[in-house]
Amino acid sequence: MRLINKLLLGITFLFSLSVSAQKTGAISGQIIDKQTQQPIANTSISFSNNVASVVSNEIGKFRLNQIPTGSYTIKFTSVGYNTITLFNVLITSGNENTFLIELEPMVTELKGITVTNTGRKTAKAASLETPLSVQRLTTEEIKRNPGSNFDISRVIQSLPGVGGTASTAGFRNDIVIRGGAPNENVYYLDGIEVPVINHFATQGSAGGPAGILNVSFMEDVKLSTSAFDAKFDNALSSVFEFKQKRGNTNKVQGNVRLSATELSTTLDGPMSKSGKTTFLASARRSYLQLLFQAIDLPIRPNYWDFQYKITHQIDAKTTLSLLGVGAIDEFSFAAPKKATPEKLFALNSNPAIQQWNYTIGISLKKIISNGYWNLSISRNDFSNKNEKYENNLGPIKGVQTLNVASKETENKIRFDVNKNINGFKFTYGAMAQFVGYQNSTFQLLKIAITDNSGNIVKPAETFQFNSSINFMKLGLFAQVGKRFIDNRLGVSAGIRTDMNSFTNDGWNALATASPRLSFSYVLSETWNLNASIGHYSKIPPYSLLGFQSNGQLMNKTAKYIQNTHYVIGVENLPSPATRFTLEAFYKQYSNVPVSIRNGISLSNLGGDFAILGNEATQSIGKGRAYGFEFFAQQKLTNKFYGILSYTFFRSEYTNANKVYTASSWDNKHLLSLTWGYQLKHNWELGLKFRYQGGVPTTPFDEIASKQNYLTLGTGLLDYQQINTQRLSNFNASDFRIDKKWNFKKTTFDLYLDVTNWYLAKSPAAPIYTFKRNDTNTAFATTNGLPIQQNGSNAIPYYLLSKDAMVTPTIGFIVEF
């Protein structure tokens, strides 16, 4: 009680200081033409309630200070351009907001429609190339999302068609888009691909328990779930485009965020007196291991991450950018103070993990006649080491069941030209990648089976190999778009092809030719009809390509995975702040890798910490996903904002039997509702509700599980019955409360973020184990004797998820 009283007294003191005088903040940035990247002079920047206004100078730059702190709607208006409105821009006394605003030329020839420059299309996230299946989130929408704890991967699960691995009860950040596997998504940071965006990433897939990217760097995030621009390779289900801010040109500033799980620091500002060179830099340290120790969990995740961006304006037409992001991860174990079957299972069912990864890149943008070109060079490196023993803690660890040390390296160069000529919008370019992959693997799949006399009846199943591959990837792409019929009809067509020097038919450019075509038709000032068809390709993961057996690379016959999308939808924009969409989609897969060993499609895997693709496969699988989705969004106006999304879909893949079976991601139903309200005195409340249908699961092979459990630490699934069972439905709700205090030059933000506040039970697949004695010091047996290594006298037992997990996070952010 004394501690609580002191905390309340301190907060009251802060409040008394903050209201002693009116506090002000600032905003700055630059206005450019989205198509040509040329600066736009004389743009009017006006705040809601006529609080302030300013006009951009001859190079499109602006700055406005002495703005009373608070939340504002800001309009950017220029003759001949569509007005852009930014909603809920927070002006604080701590940090100065910096924006790079891209205005689109106004369409003024729609016969029968009165066109006014009122920003009708502000809420619209689409473009000529991607007229549908696209969403956009601003940095404030990401920061305030309840239950996300500033993690972008969790925020986007509020959007239509986006699910996760519900069986992990929210522990992982796997992103499942319209029934596709987690490794079907690609991520671009300021135009440079970042393969790993999560800590403790699943090699060959994508997910992990926590995101790497710093939300303080972000200006907005664009998610496309179909109609992909031809410049993006390897996208089967989605493209994420993260647009980072530029560093402030006027002063060095920053913020510190501290919570029960992490400490992060971000700085940005000028690196030269002229302001032509700016920087952003951050570092974050996890304290999850301390939290897990406090609640007596036997796992100890520990991580760091780092991020930077440097921008230099070489001249009026040339901009140089350098960026980097990286992480260091360690996953270890500790003995629990109080042993339970669940904790003891966690000790020996998971591998110890050591990972590090980074992406660094440099990009050059040059304005040319009627457009601009981009040149980017980058390198990304991912190192992964997994170890697992019969007894992970020791001191006698017993049989080693897993020892993997692998490394993936990509060196990339990409060049693209973007031009607008006589109403036609052209994009074309090429990319080259030099790939290196090394893998040293030992894995025990099944132990040897012996008879009562100890004679081996069936030998152990293992594989052990060392492989190293190096190869080249090439890609060519082009896209063209134009508006017709008095600018009512927008048409965009593109094509892409990808090649590689590793697979047997890797140089066959026709095999990966990926055409795409999209249409958008303006029905009225507020209604649009959109449709697209596209064919997309993805090279299998390097963990699959590098698999070796008996000195031979087993997957050189692997083919690019193919996916064809058919999408149609309508969009309604009744106001600048409101957007509704309704879409139907169908996706058809081919050349999906199928495991030779267990006969299942690899697209059913990737939602755990096992390495995906480290085995021999055949490119014979097919798949399909289809459904419809509804989306409604209200940007913050009159103190309120909200997002409602619902998706119905089916997702199925064929296995070795060539019969379509429900995939591991077949939730059927996804529903999300996010709501927020700004109260007086800088209080804000947010609430989110999530509902997902139950996902299919696979039963255990009772005989094989009993024989192998003591050595492997887990049961073995019966893949002859893959996904024949289904979990119950999942629902949960999160809430968040923020309170800000503005001082003369700093801002203090105190927040409480609670995940699953009403204690809903999270469905999870049963866990196969052996029954233990009452003190959890040994396994119970059928004959009262010590347990046999082959489990012959064990008592099989299933652990069922019965507990509801609530995760409260209290923390603060100091801006300075």
Side-chain angles (χ1 to χ4, degrees), residues 135-137 141-142 144-148 151-164 175-177 223 240 629-633 641-647 670-675 687-692 732 734:
Q135 315 293 339
R136 193 184 296 273
L137 293 173
E141 289 169 329
I142 296 169
R144 68 161 51 87
N145 190 274
S148 67
D151 194 327
I152 296 171
S153 298
R154 295 182 183 271
V155 174
I156 61 98
Q157 294 188 27
S158 299
L159 301 177
V162 184
I175 299 173
V176 177
I177 306 288
L223 168 64
F240 285 81
E629 60 189 31
F630 171 76
F631 176 68
Q633 182 179 28
Y641 66 89
I643 293 177
L644 170 66
S645 68
Y646 170 74
T647 305
L670 299 172
L671 174 66
S672 176
L673 174 63
T674 304
W675 169 91
L687 186 68
K688 180 168 65 177
F689 173 78
R690 296 166 289 144
Y691 173 89
Q692 295 183 9
D734 316 318

Side-chain angles (χ1 to χ4, degrees), residues 469-481:
I469 60 175
N470 297 277
F471 64 98
M472 176 186 291
K473 293 161 58 179
L474 295 176
L476 302 171
F477 56 88
Q479 188 114 12
V480 61

